[in-house]
Amino acid sequence: MHGSFFHYSTGNSFLHRLHPSIKIILMISLAIGAFYVPPLVALAVYVFLIIFSLAFLRLSPKEILKDNFPALSYAALLYAISIFLNAINFFKFFPNENILKEALKIFIPRTSYVPLLLHLALSLELTSVFFKTTSVMQFNYGFRSIEHFFTRKERTPLADELSLTLTFIPRLTDFWLSLNLAWKARGGKDSPEKILKLTPALFKFSMNEAYTKAMAKENREP
């Protein structure tokens, strides 16, 4: 099993057995719709999906944590922005009394960010659930089925491009994990230097794979 997020996980749940084209339509619709539900509903559905993934998809807590890493990273970013803005307001309107009490408020996150974070977390978790239950071949077949339904043509160039783009996301995480392991094996540490040195390598490997797949696809076409 892969260690990165958004990877297929074998299983026999009803989502695994659902027709790929239906899963793709549901995934896109629900991921977009997640941004339009009330925040409390988003939170409730998000918690339900976590429980569903543990109980029915048999995912480990570690896998679920990795799938939620983008949302957690975004939460950390919003919190940092909130502290920065609160600090600006604190020094702009420096209080004459209860300075310590007002200073502690700097670390209280702004509530205006909470709905956005809940909607993003729900959208990512919905997407993750469908990625976990849909293989690369199923994604490809699903996209082709949808395009064939509308065009009635055997060739499905748009579906092929969408499939390559969508399934390339997990490959990027694979590349980064491999580079990160190699970096640490050489004694490298988590630092800005790691980002500066590994990012060009990530770009090189990803572009090389994209080129290889594009050439293979072109050679298969008559």
Side-chain angles (χ1 to χ4, degrees), residues 45-60:
V45 177
Y46 175 76
V47 172
F48 168 78
L49 288 174
I50 297 296
I51 297 173
F52 174 81
S53 298
L54 286 168
F56 295 97
L57 299 183
R58 305 296 182 183
L59 300 181
S60 67

Side-chain angles (χ1 to χ4, degrees), residues 19-81:
H19 194 281
S21 59
I22 296 177
K23 285 197 282 187
I24 290 172
I25 294 172
L26 283 175
M27 180 182 71
I28 296 173
S29 302
L30 293 175
I32 295 174
F35 288 93
Y36 296 94
V37 299
L40 288 178
V41 175
L43 177 60
V45 177
Y46 175 76
V47 172
F48 168 78
L49 288 174
I50 297 296
I51 297 173
F52 174 81
S53 298
L54 286 168
F56 295 97
L57 299 183
R58 305 296 182 183
L59 300 181
S60 67
K62 185 177 180 181
E63 288 179 289
I64 293 175
L65 180 62
K66 287 183 177 180
D67 286 345
N68 283 272
F69 181 77
L72 294 174
S73 299
Y74 190 69
L77 175 63
L78 287 181
Y79 184 57
I81 293 173

Side-chain angles (χ1 to χ4, degrees), residues 163-172 175 206-207 209-210 213:
S163 180
L164 285 174
T165 302
L166 196 60
T167 55
F168 194 61
I169 297 174
R171 291 295 296 150
L172 286 175
F175 289 146
S206 58
M207 289 299 100
E209 171 141 323
K213 287 187 175 182

Side-chain angles (χ1 to χ4, degrees), residues 142-160:
F143 280 123
R144 286 183 175 182
S145 298
I146 294 172
E147 185 172 356
H148 176 71
F149 175 81
F150 287 104
T151 65
R152 300 300 176 182
K153 295 180 180 179
E154 292 301 321
R155 293 187 61 184
T156 53
L158 178 60
D160 293 340

Side-chain angles (χ1 to χ4, degrees), residues 4-5 7 168-178 202:
S4 55
F5 55 85
H7 262 297
F168 194 61
I169 297 174
R171 291 295 296 150
L172 286 175
T173 64
D174 280 340
F175 289 146
W176 180 256
L177 284 174
S178 298
L202 176 65

